Amino acid sequence: MAKRNMHQATMQSSNSPQPALRTTDSPEESPGNKDSPEPKEELSPGAEPAEEAGEGSEEPRDEMTLDINRFRKPGEKTFTQRSRLFVGNLPVDIPEEEFKDMFAKYGNISEVFINRERGFGFIRLETRTLAEIAKCELDGTVMNNRPIRIRFATHGSALTVRNLLPAVTNELLEQAFSEFGPVERAIVVTDDRGRPTGRGIVEFANKAAARKALEQCTEGALLLTNTPCPAIVEPSEHFDDEDGQPEKLLHKTQNTIRNES
Amino acid sequence: MAKRNMHQATMQSSNSPQPALRTTDSPEESPGNKDSPEPKEELSPGAEPAEEAGEGSEEPRDEMTLDINRFRKPGEKTFTQRSRLFVGNLPVDIPEEEFKDMFAKYGNISEVFINRERGFGFIRLETRTLAEIAKCELDGTVMNNRPIRIRFATHGSALTVRNLLPAVTNELLEQAFSEFGPVERAIVVTDDRGRPTGRGIVEFANKAAARKALEQCTEGALLLTNTPCPAIVEPSEHFDDEDGQPEKLLHKTQNTIRNES
């Protein structure tokens, strides 16, 4: 793991640290987990965050140092559309170098695009998690008195697959759809016990491949196993269940809706 | 932002860094983004990861130092079930202190539970993103010649809400469901343009509250606005679309299925 670096205490953050809010322990809860059928949880006496606040540390920690290599997983494709961030509310005159430098610490970057007129940009990081870290740390950073806004860009070439047999693995799914074009990610969705749900996600590297897969699987039949059970393929919809619709955005979205209806 | 710390170069990782795999640029792609209606993307000449690899840095970077306070968002509840990690394949004799120390760098911890007999544990971190970082960096860490396995614990008290009017915000959703018990997170799911989908997620702090909400909304009618449009409430299912069903787990899950059928 990365060498720790917890003695520096810097407070450059615009977010004030939050006190631990309520956390309720639910002994009757059963985390149906792949590796553990319903363990009974003894709750440690010090289960209240308030008491645990100092847990495992003598000095206050305001920084964590991570080993970037741990965020590069063997076999994981890099610089995919899943690792692509939209950056809004940028200073209109931001130099490309300054934009790149903001993300430089999160590993390598790719496909940098800036629209200075409209004050937004796009950038790809190596992996999804690195992009999540950058999003979380940089979102709301104040530049020229305006907080920049960072979100994941919509994946333009993702498909949902249904009717998959239990024997289908991520690897088989990827292999089968690679005939239509480069696959960025193929996942057989499992339930909370690791059992396949029959649903899958296939993310292509470009729209053309996604379109081709969609057409050929709709007109013809794609068999992933030697059982006559054709996969049902549909375009994936992109939803935001992270930020959702907060008050502060309501007015904006209401206008959007009004303008479009 | 956190003070950078890129001059140290440590390679303690068990994952070898991956070279950038293919990334295909898709100019026809239209990232339908809240803040930007379909920008045309000029692709910078250096859009190939290979060329960008050194981007923004003169020396190799293997560490990133993050300001933990940036991962504590105002208003975000801490130590929720969403920030709860399952840790499997632990050394059977692991001391609680050693277990806690593994997670100490990621901020404060709570609700530490270890089952030594079966070699697994649970732990809560302050926020979801901090838990994601810990999961990504620690998953696969070899202890006593076995890689530990880290996953998010299933949220035992989550509900899906449908039939929400466009005027309903995260805040209103939380307020409305708080009458049944402590709400950890309430999100009105939006589409890729920020328009509400009519669906919402409500995560309670305990099962009792979720059950109460489920019962009362099924028997009676919960109105979030003064329009007679009752919310439809169902238990949320937990799916894994991150790891899915890789080859290496197939045998295991097949057995599970066989044993259960």
Side-chain angles (χ1 to χ4, degrees), chain A residues 21-67:
Chain A
L21 298 185
R22 81 168 93 81
T23 171
T24 306
D25 310 306
S26 45
E28 90 270 49
E29 176 187 4
S30 56
N33 218 305
K34 298 185 189 184
D35 294 28
S36 67
E38 325 287 320
K40 283 258 178 307
E41 292 180 45
E42 310 141 2
L43 293 164
S44 58
E48 283 306 311
E51 295 174 39
E52 298 251 342
E55 200 74 66
S57 75
E58 274 55 54
E59 73 271 353
R61 295 153 308 172
D62 294 290
E63 294 197 347
M64 58 182 157
T65 301
L66 308 177
D67 178 356

Side-chain angles (χ1 to χ4, degrees), chain A residues 58-168:
Chain A
E58 274 55 54
E59 73 271 353
R61 295 153 308 172
D62 294 290
E63 294 197 347
M64 58 182 157
T65 301
L66 308 177
D67 178 356
I68 290 185
N69 293 321
R70 297 287 303 183
F71 295 83
R72 297 167 172 140
K73 302 295 182 182
E76 182 180 5
K77 296 186 177 67
T78 53
F79 302 104
T80 66
Q81 288 187 65
R82 267 191 104 223
S83 313
R84 186 159 172 269
L85 294 172
F86 164 87
V87 186
N89 215 15
L90 282 171
V92 289
D93 55 356
I94 186 169
E96 180 158 326
E97 272 319 307
E98 189 180 337
F99 183 72
K100 287 177 177 174
D101 286 349
M102 280 170 45
F103 294 91
K105 71 187 264 196
Y106 305 105
N108 300 321
I109 59 176
S110 166
E111 201 206 333
V112 175
F113 166 80
I114 303 179
N115 179 321
R116 282 195 190 64
E117 266 173 35
R118 312 234 313 271
F120 69 85
F122 287 94
I123 188 167
R124 289 191 196 209
L125 299 193
E126 280 175 78
T127 71
R128 174 80 176 194
T129 308
L130 286 168
E132 266 164 9
I133 292 169
K135 173 184 186 286
C136 193
E137 191 172 44
L138 296 180
D139 184 40
T141 304
V142 175
M143 301 177 80
N144 298 11
N145 306 319
R146 308 193 310 171
I148 63 169
R149 184 151 183 284
I150 305 188
R151 299 291 176 259
F152 277 100
T154 307
H155 198 303
S157 320
L159 299 178
T160 304
V161 186
R162 291 186 290 115
N163 209 29
L164 296 173
L165 291 167
V168 177

Side-chain angles (χ1 to χ4, degrees), chain B residues 121-132:
Chain B
F122 287 93
I123 189 166
R124 289 191 196 209
L125 299 193
E126 280 176 77
T127 71
R128 174 80 176 193
T129 309
L130 285 168
E132 265 162 11

Side-chain angles (χ1 to χ4, degrees), chain B residues 29-235:
Chain B
E29 176 187 5
S30 57
N33 219 303
K34 296 185 189 185
D35 294 28
S36 67
E38 324 287 321
K40 286 254 177 310
E41 292 180 46
E42 309 139 3
L43 293 165
S44 59
E48 283 305 313
E51 295 173 37
E52 298 252 342
E55 200 73 62
S57 75
E58 275 53 57
E59 71 271 354
R61 297 152 305 173
D62 294 290
E63 294 199 348
M64 59 182 156
T65 301
L66 308 178
D67 179 354
I68 289 184
N69 293 322
R70 297 287 302 183
F71 295 83
R72 296 166 171 142
K73 302 294 181 184
E76 183 181 7
K77 297 187 175 68
T78 53
F79 302 105
T80 66
Q81 289 187 64
R82 269 191 103 222
S83 313
R84 186 157 172 271
L85 293 173
F86 165 87
V87 186
N89 215 16
L90 281 172
V92 287
D93 54 357
I94 186 170
E96 180 157 329
E97 273 318 307
E98 188 180 338
F99 183 72
K100 287 177 177 174
D101 287 349
M102 282 171 46
F103 294 91
K105 69 186 268 195
Y106 306 106
N108 300 321
I109 59 176
S110 168
E111 202 207 332
V112 176
F113 167 80
I114 304 178
N115 179 321
R116 282 196 189 64
E117 266 173 33
R118 313 235 312 272
F120 69 84
F122 287 93
I123 189 166
R124 289 191 196 209
L125 299 193
E126 280 176 77
T127 71
R128 174 80 176 193
T129 309
L130 285 168
E132 265 162 11
I133 292 169
K135 173 184 186 287
C136 193
E137 192 172 44
L138 297 180
D139 184 40
T141 303
V142 176
M143 302 177 80
N144 296 12
N145 305 320
R146 309 192 311 171
I148 62 168
R149 183 151 182 288
I150 304 189
R151 298 292 176 258
F152 276 101
T154 307
H155 198 302
S157 320
L159 299 178
T160 304
V161 186
R162 291 186 292 113
N163 209 29
L164 296 173
L165 291 165
V168 177
T169 59
N170 301 342
E171 291 83 353
L172 177 56
L173 188 64
E174 170 163 0
Q175 191 195 342
F177 279 84
S178 295
E179 77 173 75
F180 305 114
V183 172
E184 283 185 345
R185 195 173 79 108
I187 297 293
V188 173
V189 179
T190 53
D191 66 15
D192 57 4
R193 300 194 158 284
R195 292 168 303 200
T197 58
R199 255 184 330 111
I201 299 166
V202 177
E203 291 168 359
F204 284 99
N206 61 70
K207 269 194 154 58
R211 214 176 290 115
K212 190 175 167 193
L214 195 55
E215 284 168 8
Q216 298 203 12
C217 295
T218 313
E219 293 160 8
L222 179 68
L223 301 178
L224 284 82
T225 61
N226 41 28
T227 322
C229 177
I232 300 166
V233 180
E234 292 154 348

